[in-house]
Amino acid sequence: MKKFIVLLVCAVIVLVGYIVLDRSGIELPSFGAKNDHEQGIAFYNNKEYDKAAELFKKVCDGGEVRGCSNLGVMYEKGFGVEKNEQKAVELYKKACDGGHMLGCHNLGSRYAIGNGVKKDFSKAVQLYKKACDGREVRGCYNLGVMYTNGNGVEKDFSKAVQLFKKACDGGEMNGCGNLGTMYAKGEGVEEDLDKAVQLFKKACDGGNMHGCFNLGLMYAFGSGVEKNEQKAAELLKKACDGGETNGCRSLDTIYKLMAK
């Protein structure tokens, strides 16, 4: 069990410093879009970034703050415009100040990792909390990470568990994966390996490769499930193929065990 827990700790509870494009209200963006925002998303999806940036600017200038947040993403990535992290921060702030919670999340992520601004965990915490309180579950997830690691706040596993659950319940698979880890380690909650397995499976099925990796470990060590090296190998391969390098390293070990 000790070896299992050590491996588990290495793969999760990480800050997701991603920036997110707002696709709210759009199911299948097409070039028959009803408004400039939808049309901008359609151009973005088609990798016509210059046209997307032009429309997001038009939307932003027209007072629709989700366009400002999306234009910020374009500046941060250098898609359709010259890359400018400071400009991106200004646009996220404009969106956030205008009540756009995804803009607050994106701005918080910049403060958390120091892109376009000086790193400031306390500021990141404030912004993640604002986003989370505004029902942006990515903010809840990252706020949970801050409480787990004690960045900008006093370390509090119980608070982290609450936030990961809120994120997971809202469809943020990173939250499900980290909540599973808390149950597996007994941090902030009573240890419950069965619950951990359920959460890792939910995360993995939702496309979270950390969840697939950790579920693979559960099968490899027979923790919360019956030991099954074949199942473990399948899950670790899925994690590896999905970009989780720990899955690749562990997969080699599992294959060697199966060959004996």
Side-chain angles (χ1 to χ4, degrees), residues 96-109:
C96 182
D97 289 346
H100 188 255
M101 295 301 102
L102 190 52
C104 297
H105 165 271
N106 287 351
L107 184 59
S109 293

Side-chain angles (χ1 to χ4, degrees), residues 148-194:
T148 302
N149 296 332
N151 292 331
V153 288
E154 186 175 347
K155 187 177 290 189
D156 187 334
F157 290 143
S158 296
K159 183 67 175 176
V161 164
Q162 294 171 20
L163 289 160
F164 290 147
K165 183 178 188 306
K166 186 173 182 179
C168 180
D169 290 346
E172 172 53 65
M173 293 300 106
N174 288 303
C176 301
N178 278 11
L179 185 58
T181 298
M182 303 303 273
Y183 274 103
K185 295 165 64 180
E187 291 183 341
V189 288
E190 186 176 346
E191 181 182 303
D192 187 335
L193 297 181
D194 291 336

Side-chain angles (χ1 to χ4, degrees), residues 8 12-13 16 18 137 140-142 145 160-184 194-212 214-215:
L8 192 67
V12 291
I13 314 297
V16 177
Y18 50 44
V137 293
C140 302
Y141 168 78
N142 275 335
V145 174
V161 164
Q162 294 171 20
L163 289 160
F164 290 147
K165 183 178 188 306
K166 186 173 182 179
C168 180
D169 290 346
E172 172 53 65
M173 293 300 106
N174 288 303
C176 301
N178 278 11
L179 185 58
T181 298
M182 303 303 273
Y183 274 103
D194 291 336
K195 183 69 174 176
V197 166
Q198 294 171 23
L199 287 160
F200 290 146
K201 184 177 187 306
K202 181 176 180 178
C204 181
D205 290 345
N208 180 268
M209 294 303 105
H210 289 310
C212 298
N214 284 329
L215 185 58

